[in-house]
Amino acid sequence: MKQQGAHPEDTEGTPDASSRPGTAKEPGGAHRDVAHIDEVEGDEPLLPARVHRPSDLMRLVGGVLAVVVLLAIAAFAHGTTSGLEQDINKGTGQAPDLLIKIAGLASSIAILLVPVAFAIERLIKRDGLRIADGVLAAVLAHGVTLATDLWVARAAPDSIQDALTQPSPGDIHALTDPVHGYLAPVIAYMTAVGMSRRPRWRAVLWVVLLLDAFSMLVTGYTTPFSIILTVLIGWTVAYGTLYAVGSPNVRPTGRTLMAGLRTVGFRPVTASREEAADAAEGGDRGRRYFVTLEDGPPLDVTVVDREQQAQGFFYRAWRNLALRGFATRRSLQSLRQALEQEALLAYAAIAAGANAPKLIATSELGPDAVMLVYEHTGGRTLDSLDDEEITDELLRDTWHQVKALQSRRIAHRRLVGDAIVVDRSGTVILTDLRGGEIAAGDLLLRMDVSQLLVTLGLRVGAERAVASALSVLGPDAVADCLPMLQPIALSRSTRATLRRLARERAEREREAVLEASRHSRPPRAHEADDSRPVVLDKAGKKAVRAEQRAEKRAIDEALDEAREEDMLSQIRQEVLRIRPQAPVEPARLERVRPRTLISLIAGAIGAYFLLTQLTHIEFGPLISNAEWGWVAAAVLFSALSYVAAAMALLGFVPERVPFLRTVAAQVAGSFVKIVAPAAVGGVALNTRFLQRAGVRPGLAVASVGASQLFGLGCHILMLLAFGYLTGTEKTPSLSPSRTVIGGLLTVAVLVLVVTSVPFLRKFVVTRVRSLFAGVVPRMLDVLQRPQKLVTGIGGMLLLTACFVMCLDASIRAFGDESTSVSIAGVAVVFLAGNALGSAAPTPGGVGAVEATLTVGLIAVGLPKEVAAPAVLLFRLLTLWLPVLPGWLAFNHLTRKAAL
C-alpha cells in the first residue's frame, strides 16, 4: 500500500530483492543478520511536528476553574481565610531563625539554578523546542501575574485583597504582592518544558518550591492563598501555552514498529500502513500495519500512542456526561489500560466462540505507544461489499457471531460496517473489539442488537435485516431491542448516515409538493397583469377559494405519496409484525441534554450576577415606597404587547386568519419560550399555528420568515436611531457617541469574522437560507395589499414601544425624578438586551437578558438600587407571570386543533 506524504525516516521506498531484509543470503544458504536493517515498505503519511493534546486543554480548564474557586473562597469565606492565616503564622512563628535563613537562601539560589540546569541538559540533547515553549510560557505567566496584581490592587473586593495580601514587614503602609512575579513564571517554565515527567527533576522542583513557600510565609511576605494562586497561575498558563502552540509529536514511526516486532521474536520483512476508517467515530482505534515476515504468515499490527488515543476525547467525555453510566468507557485511559482492555476482549471473544482476530503478542514501543500483534485475517469489510454479495447466509452468520458474544455477556459497542469483515472463504469476523465491554448489562447487549439491525438495514433493507435477526436470535430478543432503537443509542457514523438520509427524504418531499402545486394551479386570467390591483366579484372569489382548496388537496395527496418512513420506523414496523405487543417506548438513555446544560450554566451565571447586585439592596423600604400606579402601567404595557405581536405576524399573512386566535397563540408563546430558546420557540409555534389555520406549509414558513426579517431590520434601525439620540441628548452637536461607534465597529468585526471563517459562514448561510426561504415571493404577495404591510410594520413598532414603556414604567415605579432615564436611553438598553436574549441559547434568554439590562441601566446613569428591582419587575411581567396564561392558551389551542 503506497502512502503519500512520507515521514522523513520512512522515505526509502520498497527495497529491491538484493536489499530486502531477510532475502539476502550468505553462501550455504544462511541468512545474514538483519537486526540492523529497518526498512518499511511504502511511505507513511507525514506526521505533524506538533499536536494539540486534549489533556492539555483539560488541565487548562481545570486550572481556570481552580483559580475561580480559590477567588470565590477568598471573597465569601473571609472568616475561614483569616483563621487559616493566623494558624499558619502561629505555627511558622516557632521555626528557628537559622532554619528560616538557610531555607530562604537555598530556595532563592535554587529557584534560578534549577531551570537553567534543566535548559542546559535539554540543549545538550538537542531539545531546544521545549526550552522555547518554556520561555514563552514564563513570559505569559509574568504578564498574567502583573495583570492580577493590578486587578487586586485597584478593582478586587476587599475580602480578596485581604486574603491575598498583608502589610509588608519592611513597610507597614505597603502591601505584599498578591501573586509572586518570579515564582509563577518559573512554575510555568518548568511545567511547559516537561520537568514533571522526569522523576528526579520533579523531586528537585518540589523541594525548591516548598522551601520558597515556607520561607516567604514565615517572613510574612505572602499568604497561603497567594502561594496557591501563584502555583495555579503558573500551572494554568503553562498548559494553555502547550495547547495553543502544540506539543512535540512523539508518535512512533514505522522503523520503531519494525524494531519492536523484533524484540518480541518476529522477523519482519516489510510493513505497510493501512488507512483507518474510523474518523467519524473519534479516530482512537490506532494505526494499523500489514506486516510480512521472513518465515510465517503475515501479521496485522495495531499501534496505539498517546496522540492517537486522545482523538475523540471530547466526544467520549460528552457522551459520558450526557448519557447514563453505561454509555461509553471512561474518557481518560492510560496506554496500559487500553492495551489490557483490548487484549482481554480479544481473548474473551475467541473463548466465547466468536470469530475474532487472534491476538498473539503485545508490547510497548517506548513510553508513549503500545502495539498489539494479530494474525492476519484478510477479507473485506461489509461497507466495501457490493449489495449482491450480501447474502442471507452472510447476514445469519453475522448474527451468529453476535449471539456468541452475547452468550458470554460481551458487548461489542461498535457493530458498524467497517467492524464486520468477510474473509475469502465467506466467514464473518468481528473486528474492532477495543471499545467493547465484558460482563455487560442487558441494556448494552440490546444496544448491540439495535445497532446491528440499523447497520444491516441500511445495506439490505429493514425486512431482510429483521428476518435474519429473528432466524438467529428469536423474536423475544429482537423485540426487546426496540426501546434502544433511537439515534442516541447508535454509533456516531450511523447517526450521521441517518441524518443525511433524512435530508434527502425531506428534499424529495419538498420537490413533490412543489410539482403538485405547479400542476394543480391553473392559469388565472386576472393574474395576467400584475401592475394594478384586481377587484374580484363574489363569483370570482368563490372560484379562487375553490382553486385554493383543490390545490391544497393535491398537495396533501402528493405529500402522502412522497412521504417515506425512516429506517428506524421501518425496523419497528417489521418487528411489530411478529411481536405486536413488543415495547416500543424509547428507553431513557440521556442524563442531560446540551440545551439543558447550557441553560443551567447561563442561569447560574445570571443568578450569581443578580445576587451580587441584590445583596446591597434593601427591598423592604424599596417596595413600601414603590409607585403602584406605574406598576399597573407596566402590567398594561406588557398585556398590550401580545396584541402588537399578533399584528406583526398577521401583517405578513395575506390569507384570512382569526385575530383573537392569533393573540391567543402569542400568549401561548410565553409558555413555549420558557422551554425553548426565544429565537426558536416563537418561530416554530407561529409556523405551526399558521399551518393549522389553513396556510400551506411553505407559505407559513415564508410568512414567519418575512416577519422575522422585517423585525430584524426594524430592530437594528431603532437601535441605531435611539443610540444616536442617546449620544446627542447631552451635547449641542449632532456627533454620534462613542458607544454607537464602538457598537458599529463591533458589528463590523463580527461580520468580517463570520464571512472569513468557512465553518461560520456555512453555518450562518444555511440557517438564514432555511429560515427565509421563499420570503421574497411572499413579500411580493404582501406588497399587493398595502394595508397588510402597514399592519405588520405598525405591529412591530408597537411591540417594541410596549416593551420599552413597560421597562420605563418599571424604572419609574422604584425611582424618582432624580433617578429618571430618558426614553431613548431605556430604548437602547432594552433593544441591546433583547438582541442578546434572542442570541442566547437559554430559554427566554434567562441570565443573559437580566445581566444585560441591569448593566445597561447602570451604564446610562441609573443607580443599581433602582436598576436591579426594575429589571426584576420587567422580567416578572414579560417572562414569568405570563407562563401560566400561556400554558392555558397552549392547551386550549391544542384541543381546538389550532396548534
Side-chain angles (χ1 to χ4, degrees):
M1 173 178 285
K2 187 70 174 176
Q3 308 289 341
Q4 301 297 322
H7 190 280
E9 295 182 357
D10 300 325
T11 56
E12 299 175 35
T14 304
D16 57 26
S18 63
S19 61
R20 187 186 301 271
T23 58
K25 297 182 179 181
E26 296 290 350
H31 288 279
R32 288 192 313 223
D33 182 13
V34 295
H36 63 284
I37 303 176
D38 293 321
E39 302 286 349
V40 179
E41 184 183 57
D43 298 332
E44 285 197 295
L46 181 63
L47 298 180
R50 288 179 173 268
V51 290
H52 302 279
R53 296 176 176 171
S55 57
D56 292 336
L57 179 59
M58 295 301 298
R59 292 187 179 100
L60 168 64
V61 174
V64 172
L65 293 178
V67 170
V68 172
V69 170
L70 180 69
L71 294 178
I73 293 175
F76 297 106
H78 182 66
T80 303
T81 58
S82 300
L84 180 63
E85 290 182 14
Q86 293 175 2
D87 294 340
I88 292 178
N89 291 334
K90 182 178 179 181
T92 56
Q94 301 176 359
D97 292 339
L98 180 61
L99 177 61
I100 296 174
K101 293 179 180 180
I102 293 176
L105 179 62
S107 62
S108 300
I109 297 175
I111 208 165
L112 297 176
L113 290 182
V114 171
V116 174
F118 186 78
I120 295 174
E121 189 259 351
R122 288 290 91 196
L123 290 175
I124 292 175
K125 295 185 178 181
R126 298 183 179 181
D127 194 8
L129 287 178
R130 290 187 183 272
I131 304 304
D133 295 341
V135 172
L136 177 60
V139 172
L140 294 177
H142 184 65
V144 173
T145 57
L146 292 178
T148 305
D149 288 345
L150 185 63
W151 172 73
V152 172
R154 297 188 178 182
D158 294 339
S159 56
I160 293 181
Q161 191 177 85
D162 294 340
L164 297 178
T165 61
Q166 62 182 8
S168 177
D171 185 359
I172 59 174
H173 299 289
L175 297 177
T176 58
D177 293 333
V179 183
H180 297 282
Y182 68 90
L183 189 58
V186 170
I187 295 174
Y189 167 84
M190 300 169 83
T191 304
V193 297
M195 289 184 66
S196 60
R197 292 192 294 269
R198 291 168 174 80
R200 294 181 180 178
W201 287 101
R202 182 174 64 241
V204 174
L205 168 64
W206 281 110
V207 169
V208 171
L209 293 180
L210 291 175
L211 285 176
D212 183 77
F214 172 76
S215 61
M216 295 292 289
L217 284 172
V218 171
T219 54
Y221 281 97
T222 190
T223 66
F225 279 85
S226 176
I227 291 291
I228 299 174
L229 181 61
T230 300
V231 174
L232 289 177
I233 288 178
W235 190 68
T236 303
V237 171
Y239 285 112
T241 305
L242 289 178
Y243 185 77
V245 303
S247 302
N249 197 342
V250 294
R251 282 189 177 184
T253 62
R255 289 188 174 185
T256 308
L257 168 65
M258 302 289 274
L261 288 172
R262 290 192 175 95
T263 61
V264 292
F266 296 102
R267 304 182 68 181
V269 177
T270 61
S272 59
R273 171 79 178 275
E274 297 179 354
E275 290 296 334
D278 65 332
E281 294 298 312
D284 63 340
R285 293 168 59 194
R287 289 179 289 146
R288 299 183 178 185
Y289 293 86
F290 172 73
V291 179
T292 60
L293 300 179
E294 182 178 340
D295 47 359
L299 306 173
D300 290 327
V301 181
T302 299
V303 176
V304 182
D305 54 58
R306 296 190 186 278
E307 310 308 331
Q308 191 76 25
Q309 190 186 26
Q311 294 185 21
F313 169 80
F314 295 110
Y315 173 73
R316 296 194 302 271
W318 167 247
R319 295 274 291 184
N320 285 330
L321 174 65
L323 303 185
R324 297 182 182 274
F326 56 80
T328 58
R329 67 182 187 274
R330 59 180 180 177
S331 301
L332 294 175
Q333 195 178 37
S334 67
L335 286 172
R336 169 66 64 176
Q337 291 170 334
L339 183 145
E340 292 174 350
Q341 179 183 8
E342 185 167 354
L344 177 61
L345 284 163
Y347 294 138
I350 294 177
N355 296 329
K358 183 178 180 181
L359 182 67
I360 57 178
T362 59
S363 177
E364 293 185 350
L365 295 179
D368 298 305
V370 296
M371 71 173 180
L372 298 101
V373 184
Y374 295 91
E375 287 184 354
H376 179 60
T377 57
R380 293 183 294 164
T381 64
L382 183 70
D383 288 340
S384 62
L385 294 177
D386 296 331
D387 292 342
E388 59 271 12
E389 295 181 275
I390 306 178
T391 63
D392 291 339
E393 182 181 357
L394 183 112
L395 296 178
R396 288 192 295 270
D397 192 7
T398 304
W399 284 110
H400 277 298
Q401 306 309 315
V402 175
K403 184 178 181 180
L405 291 180
Q406 299 209 344
S407 66
R408 300 296 178 87
R409 314 293 297 181
I410 300 174
H412 187 284
R413 305 303 308 277
R414 193 178 175 274
L415 288 169
V416 295
D418 63 341
I420 302 172
V421 175
V422 182
D423 65 10
R424 296 178 180 85
S425 63
T427 303
V428 174
I429 301 173
L430 299 182
T431 65
D432 193 22
L433 287 161
R434 181 182 176 194
E437 290 189 20
I438 61 172
D442 290 336
L443 286 179
L444 285 180
L445 300 180
R446 291 155 61 190
M447 288 172 67
D448 267 0
V449 176
S450 62
Q451 171 65 62
L452 187 56
L453 278 173
V454 178
T455 298
L456 298 179
L458 291 173
R459 289 303 314 271
V460 301
E463 184 177 357
R464 289 182 61 192
V466 173
S468 61
L470 290 172
S471 64
V472 177
L473 302 181
D476 293 335
V478 177
D480 288 342
C481 81
L482 288 188
M484 302 294 108
L485 206 61
Q486 48 182 308
I488 195 65
L490 304 176
S491 67
R492 196 175 185 181
S493 60
T494 305
R495 295 200 304 271
T497 302
L498 294 176
R499 286 194 297 267
R500 176 179 57 80
L501 295 176
R503 290 193 298 267
E504 294 175 357
R505 287 196 307 272
E507 184 63 25
R508 288 193 295 270
E509 292 177 1
R510 180 175 178 272
E511 292 176 356
V513 169
L514 294 177
E515 186 69 19
S517 178
R518 286 194 296 266
H519 285 82
S520 64
R521 179 183 297 178
R524 302 172 185 173
H526 62 270
E527 290 182 355
D529 185 4
D530 294 333
S531 61
R532 62 180 183 276
V534 178
V535 179
L536 299 177
D537 56 9
K538 187 175 182 180
K541 292 180 179 179
K542 288 184 177 180
V544 170
R545 286 196 292 270
E547 292 175 3
Q548 290 177 347
R549 287 195 295 270
E551 181 182 358
K552 184 177 184 299
R553 187 164 51 253
I555 290 175
D556 292 340
E557 293 175 356
L559 189 59
D560 291 337
E561 293 178 359
R563 184 173 288 114
E564 305 174 26
E565 294 288 347
D566 63 273
M567 179 54 60
L568 301 185
S569 299
Q570 294 178 35
I571 293 176
R572 290 192 191 97
Q573 292 175 3
E574 292 295 330
V575 176
L576 290 175
R577 290 178 184 176
I578 307 300
R579 279 285 187 272
Q581 71 277 14
V584 295
E585 185 68 22
R588 185 179 178 185
L589 304 179
E590 289 182 287
R591 180 188 292 126
V592 61
R593 296 183 178 181
R595 187 183 69 189
T596 305
L597 184 62
I598 295 175
S599 301
L600 291 175
I601 294 174
I605 294 174
Y608 170 76
F609 177 82
L610 290 178
L611 288 176
T612 57
Q613 297 294 325
L614 298 179
T615 52
H616 304 288
I617 301 174
E618 297 181 2
F619 280 96
L622 191 66
I623 294 176
S624 62
N625 297 328
E627 295 286 342
W628 292 102
W630 284 110
V631 174
V635 173
L636 178 62
F637 286 123
S638 176
L640 186 60
S641 65
Y642 297 102
V643 178
M647 294 172 56
L649 176 63
L650 294 181
F652 298 92
V653 183
E655 292 82 3
R656 183 181 297 276
V657 179
F659 181 76
L660 292 180
R661 182 165 286 188
T662 306
V663 175
Q666 306 313 304
V667 177
S670 300
F671 165 70
V672 174
K673 68 182 181 181
I674 290 296
V675 296
V680 177
V683 171
L685 183 137
N686 287 328
T687 303
R688 179 68 173 173
F689 170 74
L690 292 179
Q691 291 179 10
R692 288 291 189 176
V695 183
R696 293 197 303 272
L699 298 181
V701 173
S703 295
V704 175
S707 175
Q708 293 286 320
L709 182 61
F710 265 80
L712 177 63
C714 292
H715 194 100
I716 294 175
L717 291 176
M718 285 188 290
L719 181 59
L720 295 177
F722 284 115
Y724 186 86
L725 294 176
T726 303
T728 59
E729 61 186 8
K730 294 184 179 180
T731 58
S733 63
L734 294 180
S735 59
S737 66
R738 293 183 177 179
T739 303
V740 175
I741 295 176
L744 292 175
L745 291 176
T746 302
V747 172
V749 170
L750 291 177
V751 171
L752 289 175
V753 170
V754 171
T755 54
S756 60
V757 178
F759 169 75
L760 294 177
R761 182 172 64 248
K762 182 180 179 181
F763 177 83
V764 172
V765 170
T766 302
R767 295 301 185 275
V768 172
R769 183 181 298 168
S770 62
L771 180 61
F772 298 123
V775 169
V776 174
R778 193 61 165 167
M779 288 307 306
L780 294 178
D781 294 338
V782 174
L783 290 175
Q784 295 179 4
R785 301 184 181 185
Q787 69 275 14
K788 282 282 187 180
L789 188 61
V790 171
T791 301
I793 297 178
M796 291 177 184
L797 296 177
L798 179 60
L799 179 62
T800 302
C802 287
F803 282 125
V804 171
M805 296 305 297
C806 180
L807 181 57
D808 182 71
S810 301
I811 295 172
R812 295 178 184 274
F814 295 102
D816 51 28
E817 294 297 331
S818 61
T819 59
S820 62
V821 180
S822 66
I823 292 294
V826 175
V828 169
V829 172
F830 164 74
L831 292 170
N834 187 55
L836 183 58
S838 299
T842 58
V846 174
V849 174
E850 288 83 355
T852 305
L853 292 180
T854 305
V855 172
L857 291 177
I858 295 174
V860 296
L862 196 67
K864 64 181 180 181
E865 291 79 7
V866 178
V871 170
L872 288 179
L873 176 61
F874 173 76
R875 292 291 280 172
L876 184 67
L877 297 178
T878 58
L879 179 66
W880 299 112
L881 287 183
V883 170
L884 180 58
W887 177 73
L888 296 175
F890 185 85
N891 288 333
H892 172 73
L893 294 175
T894 302
R895 288 195 302 270
K896 296 294 184 179
L899 280 181

